[in-house]
Amino acid sequence: MRLAFSKDDEAFRESIASWLAENLSGKFEKIRFRGGPGDEHMYFDERRDWEYRLADGGWTGVGWPKEHGGRGLSIEQQVIYHEEYARAGGPGRVGHIGEGLTGPMLIAFGSAEQQQRFLPQILAGKELWCQGYSEPGAGSDLANVRTKAVFDRDSDRWLITGQKIWTSLAQESDWCFVIARTDPNSRGSRGLGFFLVPMDQPGVDIRPIRQLTGTSEFNEVFFDAAACDADCIVGEPGDGWKVAMGLLGFERGVSTLGQQMLFQNEFNEIVAIAEENGAASDPTIRQRIADAHIGLRIMRYNSMRTLSGDVGDGSLEKSAMIYKLYWSTWHRNLGNLAMDVLGPEAEIAETAPYDLTRLQSLFLFTRADTIYGGTNQIQRNIIAERALGLPREPRPATD
Amino acid sequence: MEFRFSEEQQMIRDTAASFLAEVSDSQAVRQAMANGAGYDESLWSRITEEMFWHAVHIPEKLGGLDLGYVELVAMLEQMGRCLTCSPFFSTVCLGVNALRVAGTEAQQKKYLAQIAGEGRTATLAWTGKGRRWDAKSIDTTYTLTKDGVFLDGRLHYVTDGHTADLLIIAARENGSSGEQGIGLFIVPAGAGGVSSVALPTMDQTRKQATISFDKVQVDAADIMRDAGDAWPLLSQVLDLARIATAADQTGGAERVLEMTVDYIKERRQFGRPVGSFQAMKHKAADMMLRAESARSALYYAACVADEYLAGRGTDVMLAEAASIAKAYCSEAYFFNAGCALQMHGGIGFTWEHDLHLYFKRAKSTQQYLGDASFHRERLARMILDAPT
Ligand SMILES: Cc1cc2nc3c(=O)[nH]c(=O)nc-3n(C[C@H](O)[C@H](O)[C@H](O)COP(=O)(O)OP(=O)(O)OC[C@H]3O[C@@H](n4cnc5c(N)ncnc54)[C@H](O)[C@@H]3O)c2cc1C
């Protein structure tokens, strides 16, 4: 075990830090520290420009392999990249679904043509993506999707019909990846296909849903014979579940370390308030601040273990499997701590009618962290069944 | 950066696991904990003569293995899994650490060589009676006279204090207070004026004693570094010992999870394994989250300890990593042991079942050298009260 970074890696740290210092300034000054979870609707146009700036500098897809246009950074350098990005106050990336999910999914499962068609556009920040998994009847039980995909021989295209819900940033996206049923007689995880569907077409109707924050990052999306080309299916009809699950695995990658630096920024903000308003002398608040600090440090050590690879006793998989449950719970507690540090001030919003402060958004939005991407209960089921080998939950007979 | 065991470290862990499976099973533990010493002499001889573990991080030139803290915690984790009863912790994690951190060159040469070569045991005694683990708890005094240094007072909660050959004592200069006036001294257990009383403990796998000092004269050569100003050194020794304790806790937290998972897969009620009930599954998942996170905190702290012992890291980094590990692992072990008892039902409440041994060790190690609240407050001082 060795904690220190090599000289090369430290030199790399210099280069990304100075690039950020130079570029994240001027017109981008106001989007520093903005656009994270709960704040994703803010400064969208400016953040899109920032995505182009990053792309010009070659700072998108840093972990993608070189042959797919990425920077092919080592794990260490990816860690450094994400650390420096967050330290500099780099704004929430408008292209994060494409870069973090669609890209790795296509690299793993897509055809050469699909890779050539889509990857460069993601790297350039030109095409944004959203995730069309959940439906009214298929949340935790994702395999219960009803949306249908029918191949139309006349037009040589797939036609998608059904309803998706909770689709984040659909209103800003050019493409959506959709799981839909290719075999109308199938049930459960069989008979599904994985589709790449353009959003700008008459068959797609996007209706914003207002969240408890008052804002609308997510939407209902209605597909009414929405079309995508014959080659916009990833894998074969029937492979949808495999691709969908593979994609979820990418959510636990290196970018988690970048996320942790955002958490660190939030934590620092709360500490600064506590020092200023006297909460820092309240013994219970002190305990909770220290507890949050411990939790965040260990989150990092967990990731470092995951990223450093297996140790031959299966513990790699375990440290990866607890990740979502761990961070979502920690973050939710942080939101609560923020309110309790603020005291009565916690109630006062930024401006009328309902423009919330950053910490109010944190408090409210972290309630979603324990729901999306597999709820905490589903995470516990997965850990118990896959890591500990306990009996599986009852499932429909088709499985 | 490489945050995983090297192949050699894996080998050390695996060797420890298989050796302990043989010599430290439930029966061996129960026998050792019931004898007066609290350990089995022949096992200690095997550890010191065959395995040479006690010399794990003693420098090579003094006859040690010259390995690091990561190797040490790899062994301790396995001992925690097996509830191993031995003077390993007191000798290596208190004695050797104290000598390495606060010993003069001559003291290291003499005493580390004795420990490495002869398997002599050692411990650290520093607190008075009470519930604190800070400098204020030190109330044994030392007095400088023209005839030399004399120690007076009573030291409590001394791990293996009734069996250790070598005592390392923290005392304060008569009339001093707080972190001022602290000195460290080496005293052979048989010195005149020293008497120790073994105490019955709830956790029978970790023995404690009270040691009384009545005008005990200390040889001038046995006054350790920075006498009168040794609190920072003692504090670093304690931090190293906290990391070692966290290793024991991590091993225990993992082991009770395994025992529980095995049991709830087998035990059937309502016509199915109790492990199929979601209330059980979710508790087991929460236990795994804690066991895995405890490991991460532990391994990180061990790396920091290595840096510190190599003269590269600072005492502040050591303190932070130790407090994080001790706070987290203490709660993780106790949480897991408590859940394990509940999930075993009545059988877990019996003397015959080993769970109570883990449950008690979880509580005793949780208190030892500061519980989670103590360490959170210590961290809060670093985060909130540090001068900016
Ligand atoms: C802010 C936000 C953004 C989102 N963005 C997207 C997106 O971009 N794309 C997308 O496809 N989806 C998105 N989602 C949807 C998200 O993935 C689902 O909300 C989630 O999977 C839970 O499904 P559900 O809402 O139907 O809840 P349900 O599945 O109905 O769950 C209700 C409750 O029952 C519990 N439960 C369900 N099954 C079990 C079980 N087997 N054992 C124990 N407890 C169980 C759950 O834990 C939960 O507490 C988003 C959600 C939120 C809140």
Side-chain angles (χ1 to χ4, degrees):
Chain A
M1 290 204 192
R2 180 170 49 82
L3 294 179
F5 288 101
S6 71
K7 281 214 171 67
D8 274 1
D9 290 346
E10 290 302 342
F12 172 79
R13 186 187 292 281
E14 280 293 299
S15 73
I16 173 68
S18 61
W19 188 90
L20 284 166
E22 214 169 283
N23 286 273
L24 193 52
S25 59
K27 68 171 177 170
F28 294 125
E29 187 61 45
K30 69 168 180 241
I31 60 169
R32 289 181 65 219
F33 296 104
R34 297 308 301 257
D39 194 40
E40 290 202 66
H41 56 298
M42 290 303 291
Y43 299 110
F44 204 88
D45 294 337
E46 291 86 344
R47 282 162 53 221
R48 202 161 181 155
D49 284 347
W50 171 246
E51 193 77 10
Y52 297 143
R53 177 68 67 92
L54 280 173
D56 285 345
W59 293 115
T60 54
V62 293
W64 294 13
K66 282 204 173 112
E67 68 262 33
H68 292 293
R71 214 174 169 112
L73 292 185
S74 67
I75 299 277
E76 278 86 353
Q77 297 197 352
Q78 291 180 59
V79 169
I80 291 170
Y81 168 84
H82 289 293
E83 283 182 354
E84 291 307 315
Y85 187 85
R87 196 192 315 277
R93 296 276 307 278
V94 295
H96 68 90
I97 298 180
E99 181 182 276
L101 299 178
T102 314
M105 178 274 296
L106 286 174
I107 291 170
F109 301 105
S111 67
E113 292 72 33
Q114 286 167 342
Q115 292 167 354
Q116 278 150 23
R117 161 68 187 82
F118 292 109
L119 297 182
Q121 301 299 316
I122 294 174
L123 287 172
K126 290 203 176 119
E127 289 180 350
L128 303 185
W129 285 79
C130 60
Q131 176 171 21
Y133 277 20
S134 305
E135 297 180 8
S140 299
D141 188 8
L142 182 60
N144 199 35
V145 292
R146 296 263 182 276
T147 295
K148 285 192 183 54
V150 178
F151 190 68
D152 177 40
R153 287 180 197 289
D154 297 340
S155 61
D156 200 26
R157 298 194 303 178
W158 288 95
L159 300 178
I160 315 276
T161 302
Q163 183 194 350
K164 294 290 172 182
I165 192 167
W166 321 126
T167 319
S168 300
L169 298 176
Q171 70 276 39
E172 308 285 359
S173 297
D174 307 286
W175 291 85
C176 182
F177 51 83
V178 174
I179 329 182
R181 213 158 273 293
T182 46
D183 174 359
N185 300 317
S186 67
R187 279 174 55 195
S189 59
R190 297 196 186 134
L192 297 170
F194 196 100
F195 296 92
L196 312 172
V197 183
M199 294 297 273
D200 186 15
Q201 59 169 309
V204 175
D205 180 17
I206 302 168
R207 299 183 202 161
I209 305 172
R210 197 161 180 221
Q211 301 169 174
L212 83 181
T213 47
T215 56
S216 303
E217 277 108 321
F218 61 31
N219 305 271
E220 287 178 292
V221 181
F222 294 87
F223 296 93
D224 182 9
C228 66
D229 290 341
D231 59 2
C232 279
I233 179 169
V234 180
E236 301 294 319
D239 286 347
W241 188 252
K242 184 182 80 185
V243 179
M245 290 300 108
L247 178 140
L248 288 181
F250 303 129
E251 289 188 320
R252 303 193 298 233
V254 182
S255 60
T256 55
L257 286 156
Q259 179 195 36
Q260 289 170 25
M261 285 303 285
L262 298 175
F263 293 169
Q264 184 72 54
N265 291 340
E266 292 165 352
F267 174 78
N268 293 347
E269 188 177 340
I270 294 166
V271 166
I273 293 169
E275 284 174 327
E276 216 225 29
N277 76 1
S281 59
D282 175 333
T284 58
I285 293 284
R286 292 172 71 81
Q287 287 283 316
R288 288 170 64 191
I289 285 177
D291 200 42
H293 175 75
I294 292 169
L296 185 54
R297 299 305 301 180
I298 295 179
M299 198 188 301
R300 181 175 156 80
Y301 310 151
N302 279 339
S303 301
M304 283 164 54
R305 268 179 65 213
T306 306
L307 295 172
S308 290
D310 205 346
V311 295
D313 64 352
S315 67
L316 160 73
E317 212 176 331
K318 287 185 179 169
S319 69
M321 271 181 156
I322 60 171
Y323 193 70
K324 170 79 204 311
L325 176 62
Y326 187 107
W327 79 255
S328 64
T329 309
W330 180 89
H331 205 208
R332 184 179 69 188
N333 292 344
L334 186 76
N336 205 27
L337 175 62
M339 296 298 97
D340 297 346
V341 162
L342 279 165
E345 277 297 316
E347 274 305 304
I348 313 303
E350 195 88 31
T351 50
Y354 201 67
D355 196 4
L356 299 172
T357 65
R358 250 173 60 87
L359 292 180
Q360 287 171 333
S361 294
L362 174 75
F363 169 62
L364 294 175
F365 201 82
T366 50
R367 289 282 149 176
D369 290 341
T370 52
I371 296 173
Y372 65 75
T375 68
N376 278 15
Q377 287 69 41
I378 294 300
Q379 298 300 329
R380 288 188 178 95
N381 285 345
I382 293 173
I383 293 168
E385 293 172 16
R386 300 208 200 133
L388 299 174
L390 290 167
R392 288 176 51 147
E393 292 296 295
R395 263 157 236 238
T398 52
D399 245 9
Chain B
M1 188 197 73
E2 192 178 78
F3 198 44
R4 59 161 185 231
F5 280 162
S6 67
E7 264 172 43
E8 269 165 302
Q9 289 162 345
Q10 283 180 53
M11 237 166 64
I12 288 171
R13 177 198 58 201
D14 296 346
T15 308
S18 51
F19 177 72
L20 293 170
E22 181 197 325
V23 300
S24 181
D25 60 4
S26 169
Q27 200 192 348
V29 167
R30 283 164 185 268
Q31 261 166 23
M33 75 187 201
N35 77 29
Y39 66 93
D40 171 9
E41 284 282 356
S42 66
L43 171 57
W44 180 240
S45 304
R46 287 191 69 183
I47 288 179
T48 55
E49 286 157 26
E50 217 174 287
M51 310 306 288
F52 222 59
W53 286 349
H54 67 303
V56 54
H57 73 317
I58 293 178
E60 199 170 358
K61 60 177 194 293
L62 301 173
L65 291 178
D66 215 10
L67 295 169
Y69 231 72
V70 174
E71 287 80 2
L72 173 60
V73 303
M75 293 172 182
L76 285 163
E77 201 181 330
Q78 299 305 317
M79 295 183 200
R81 286 177 64 92
C82 298
L83 299 163
T84 304
C85 299
S86 91
F88 184 89
F89 177 85
S90 48
T91 302
V92 178
C93 309
L94 298 173
V96 173
N97 279 335
L99 285 161
R100 285 200 56 179
V101 171
T104 63
E105 211 168 304
Q107 288 161 357
Q108 294 188 357
K109 221 167 167 173
K110 177 172 171 193
Y111 293 112
L112 287 179
Q114 279 183 9
I115 291 173
E118 301 162 29
R120 291 189 93 193
T121 59
T123 192
L124 171 75
W126 66 287
T127 60
K129 196 175 171 72
R131 63 176 307 275
R132 331 178 53 113
W133 296 96
D134 57 14
K136 288 187 187 129
S137 74
I138 300 174
D139 59 11
T140 291
T141 56
Y142 72 89
T143 322
L144 299 161
T145 72
K146 61 179 180 353
D147 300 324
V149 179
F150 291 88
L151 300 177
D152 277 288
R154 183 170 294 181
L155 293 136
H156 289 257
Y157 322 117
V158 185
T159 313
D160 297 332
H162 59 309
T163 55
D165 300 322
L166 216 57
L167 307 174
I168 291 169
I169 306 297
R172 63 170 58 259
E173 197 169 3
N174 225 335
S176 69
S177 64
E179 297 179 2
Q180 311 300 312
I182 307 295
L184 291 165
F185 308 91
I186 306 170
V187 181
V194 177
S195 57
S196 66
V197 182
L199 302 169
T201 46
M202 179 166 71
D203 167 16
Q204 295 173 290
T205 67
R206 295 171 75 89
K207 301 295 186 204
Q208 296 185 26
T210 302
I211 306 184
S212 301
F213 277 69
D214 184 15
K215 293 201 190 57
V216 175
Q217 185 166 10
V218 181
D219 198 302
D222 287 336
I223 302 173
M224 299 181 84
R225 286 173 43 214
D226 293 358
D229 209 7
W231 170 250
L233 293 179
L234 175 58
S235 193
Q236 288 148 39
V237 175
L238 296 174
D239 282 329
L240 291 169
R242 284 167 177 135
I243 296 168
T245 306
D248 189 278
Q249 294 172 322
T250 300
E254 289 166 359
R255 183 67 196 124
V256 293
L257 168 61
E258 284 171 19
M259 290 165 73
T260 304
V261 168
D262 288 347
Y263 183 73
I264 66 176
K265 279 179 186 166
E266 291 301 318
R267 170 72 179 164
R268 295 176 75 89
Q269 285 291 281
F270 300 96
R272 54 184 185 147
V274 295
S276 67
F277 297 114
Q278 212 175 58
M280 293 276 143
K281 290 168 69 174
H282 286 194
K283 265 283 179 284
D286 287 339
M287 289 165 75
M288 192 186 100
L289 181 139
R290 282 167 179 75
E292 286 302 313
S293 302
R295 284 181 126 192
S296 301
L298 169 67
Y299 295 165
Y300 183 85
C303 291
V304 172
D306 264 340
E307 294 284 300
Y308 164 77
L309 287 171
R312 287 189 296 264
T314 66
D315 56 338
V316 178
M317 287 166 62
L318 179 71
E320 197 206 2
S323 276
I324 288 174
K326 183 61 173 57
Y328 193 88
C329 298
S330 291
E331 294 204 328
Y333 192 7
F334 190 70
F335 177 88
N336 282 12
C339 289
L341 275 187
Q342 178 65 23
M343 291 160 83
H344 275 75
I347 193 84
F349 197 71
T350 61
W351 187 267
E352 200 183 333
H353 201 287
D354 285 344
L355 261 185
H356 71 101
L357 303 178
Y358 289 93
F359 182 70
K360 292 167 183 171
R361 186 135 147 168
K363 184 47 87 180
S364 75
T365 54
Q366 185 182 29
Q367 301 290 343
Y368 182 61
L369 299 182
D371 63 6
S373 309
F374 173 92
H375 287 288
R376 281 193 291 259
E377 173 54 29
R378 193 166 177 239
L379 289 163
R381 282 200 300 277
M382 296 180 206
I383 301 163
L384 296 167
D385 311 338
T388 40

